[in-house]
Amino acid sequence: MEKLKDVTEEQKKFAVDAMVTLVVEELVNDLNIPPTTMLKEFIASKTGALLYDESSKLWWNGSSYIADMYKKEICS
């Protein structure tokens, strides 16, 4: 398998979108909130904004880490 030397902007955006899908799925299961509602709430959150901020590299973390981060945000 050939090593990926450079990650393109398109690949980064795809990775973030895929991570959002995983995070929202986990939050739907944990919080019992409808998927469309959860997606809107997550995207509008500080955690969601941070995930889309490429410089934060938050998308490198797992979905559970990000879901926990969001849960802490909404509890504070």
Side-chain angles (χ1 to χ4, degrees):
M1 186 168 163
E2 186 177 325
K3 273 190 163 181
L4 189 63
K5 294 181 181 173
D6 292 314
V7 178
T8 66
E9 288 303 312
E10 184 177 334
Q11 290 169 322
K12 288 178 190 176
K13 288 176 184 177
F14 179 80
V16 170
D17 289 341
M19 185 59 68
V20 167
T21 301
L22 294 171
V23 171
V24 168
E25 182 179 354
E26 186 167 333
L27 291 169
V28 163
N29 292 331
D30 290 351
L31 303 176
N32 200 27
I33 295 174
T36 53
T37 302
M38 188 71 261
L39 177 61
K40 290 176 188 175
E41 290 178 7
F42 179 75
I43 295 298
S45 72
K46 291 178 184 176
T47 305
L50 188 61
L51 182 55
Y52 275 101
D53 177 3
E54 183 188 317
S55 67
S56 76
K57 305 290 186 215
L58 183 58
W59 58 275
W60 286 6
N61 294 285
S63 58
S64 293
Y65 177 87
I66 298 167
D68 286 345
M69 209 172 139
Y70 173 78
K71 288 185 240 178
K72 287 177 185 171
E73 175 185 339
I74 62 172
C75 286
S76 57

